[in-house]
Amino acid sequence: MSIIIPFYNCAYIDQAVQSALNQTYKNIEVIVVDDGSTQYTHKLQRYLRKIKYIKKENGGTASALNTGIRNASGKYFAWLSSDDLYLPRKIEKQLKYMIKNNFDVSYTPVIKINNNSKPISKPIGYELLNKVSFYHTMQRGCVINGCTVMMKMKVFSDIGLFNEKLLYTQDYDLWLRVMQKYDFHYLPAPLVYYRIHEQMGTKKYDQAIKEEVQFVQQKHMEAINHLIQKTGN
């Protein structure tokens, strides 16, 4: 299992890394990709012997994720944002679910937390009734939190890596590409803490994100409509 943590000037990076290292499933590698950070790098010093640390020039989240994937040795991919946290049994539970059912891709709900890592919501997730409902919902917007996704590495070989031209919606774009060839499976267990804070990208770049979402939706509209038609028939 390769856990990839993109890091750029995030004050919570040490908490994210610790939550990855605290996993009950131990056959993991934690890859931190420093995307040109100028702040908070000192918080990683005590972890350098326990993680794979890669430093690169700033290129965005997609670039950092792709760098991590290229340097990963695991058969499975998991992503952890540097301001979020994994619950201790995240990898153990989700990997068991995937292996038992021979799934290629799965996702789970999240629980929101505040600056102090205190839960501020009930579990939030979207389990759709059927494939067509899932396709329609994803066509309207992304209902999958990237840090909940677990995926076999072979999927990247099949559909490609994250689109580095997209600054904010690289995950949404990838899921829309993945679901054209693979099924997403929902494990209804909240295994990720999703932090809400003032410096998070979804707050700082709200308008730019909306515009990029529209671009991604338009880009994949014809392919997803075809998928809906084919599945519906």
Side-chain angles (χ1 to χ4, degrees), residues 36 75 161 170:
K75 292 183 179 179
L161 299 176
Q170 71 286 330

Side-chain angles (χ1 to χ4, degrees), residues 139 180 217-228:
Q139 197 174 40
Q180 295 175 48
Q217 289 171 333
Q218 192 64 36
K219 174 185 172 185
H220 294 286
M221 182 177 293
E222 185 175 344
I224 303 304
N225 280 338
H226 177 71
L227 191 61
I228 290 169

